[in-house]
Amino acid sequence: MADDEEIILSELSDDELVLQMHDDLYDGLKDEIEEGTNILLGRGWTPYDVLTKALVAGMKIVGDDFRDGILFVPEVLLSANAMKSGMFILKPLLAETGAPRMGKMVIGTVKGDIHDIGKNLVAMMMEGAGFEVVDLGINNAVEKYLAALDSEKPDILGMSALLTTTMPYMKVVIDTLKEKGMREDYIVLVGGAPLNEEFGRAIGADAYCRDAAVAVETAKTLVSRKHNQLSA
């Protein structure tokens, strides 16, 4: 541990600092991430480069290890929290510079369901991957989803359920989108412990995501495909 005490972030080269920030994110060290973010900005890095090279690249390592069962939910939440402290500094700067973003997601737990740990993890990991996330919280009726889609104009709608009794409500939301002729406007991702791929297909979702790491990869793939179709 003695060696760790001696790392002075401001004395590291840019490359060393970025690698150190990857380690600090992995360890969930909030203060160090804030300091590293500020140092890179002070050295003339663009907010977008700090986001992608230091934070997003670091969270990808966390996401991969979470997917592979090396890290678990409590550790990932700590990492995501550290990421948030860096994002807090970068967000206003990114808005000013009009930096490119991966896409935008509206996410919420469905009506009748008050579970949100999985949803929160997905929201944090999506932010960690460079997406803008609007979190509607728990117990969302179809009207609430529709209002958010209307006001936020996202690429993705994410729905979560942890109870077998609330799962069918996802179909209510998707069917309503179809009735209104809006279904094709959004990528719909669903997740939660009792769900599976078959259920996702049956209700007409674009994909079922078994965990937050899968959600990020799926979102990236589907959004880039959607953008390619639009520009084709």
Side-chain angles (χ1 to χ4, degrees), residues 8-221:
I8 297 169
L9 297 181
S10 57
E11 290 180 1
L12 300 175
S13 71
D14 286 11
D15 290 349
E16 290 169 335
L17 179 55
V18 166
L19 291 175
Q20 184 59 44
M21 285 175 75
H22 293 174
D23 287 349
D24 291 343
L25 262 181
Y26 199 90
D27 296 335
L29 304 177
K30 205 171 161 192
D31 293 349
E32 284 79 349
I33 291 300
E34 279 178 18
E35 190 186 339
T37 299
N38 282 321
I39 291 168
L40 289 174
L41 289 170
R43 291 181 185 175
W45 277 51
T46 66
Y48 186 69
D49 278 348
V50 180
L51 171 69
T52 50
K53 293 176 183 168
L55 299 183
V56 173
M59 279 304 282
K60 182 170 182 348
I61 301 165
V62 172
D64 289 349
D65 279 3
F66 175 57
R67 181 195 63 210
D68 298 339
I70 298 163
L71 286 178
F72 299 97
V73 169
E75 295 147 316
V76 176
L77 287 173
L78 278 177
S79 294
N81 222 12
M83 162 92 192
K84 274 202 151 154
S85 67
M87 283 297 290
F88 186 73
I89 297 166
L90 293 175
K91 245 186 183 156
L93 303 172
L94 287 164
E96 278 169 30
T97 54
R101 57 185 176 83
M102 290 294 304
K104 188 175 189 179
M105 178 186 213
V106 163
I107 189 170
T109 306
V110 295
K111 187 177 176 184
D113 208 316
I114 56 165
H115 295 88
D116 66 355
I117 291 177
K119 169 189 67 63
N120 292 350
L121 195 56
V122 170
M124 285 177 170
M125 294 282 282
M126 289 288 287
E127 282 196 332
F131 284 86
E132 187 182 339
V133 178
V134 178
D135 188 344
L136 303 179
I138 55 173
N139 194 21
N140 288 288
V142 65
E143 295 78 15
K144 188 138 179 235
Y145 285 116
L146 289 174
L149 293 176
D150 189 45
S151 62
E152 301 294 340
K153 310 276 186 283
D155 303 284
I156 304 166
L157 169 62
M159 291 186 283
S160 156
L162 205 78
L163 304 170
T164 48
T165 49
T166 58
M167 281 164 54
Y169 198 78
M170 294 177 167
K171 186 172 185 314
V172 174
V173 178
I174 292 173
D175 286 349
T176 307
L177 290 177
K178 285 179 182 164
E179 281 162 26
K180 294 186 176 294
M182 298 162 59
R183 175 62 189 89
E184 297 309 311
D185 300 342
Y186 308 102
I187 294 162
V188 179
L189 303 181
V190 296
L195 280 68
N196 56 33
E197 277 184 34
E198 202 178 327
F199 175 79
R201 270 198 303 275
I203 62 169
D206 288 293
Y208 150 76
C209 305
R210 94 173 165 268
D211 62 35
V214 172
V216 169
E217 291 311 313
T218 307
K220 281 184 181 169
T221 305

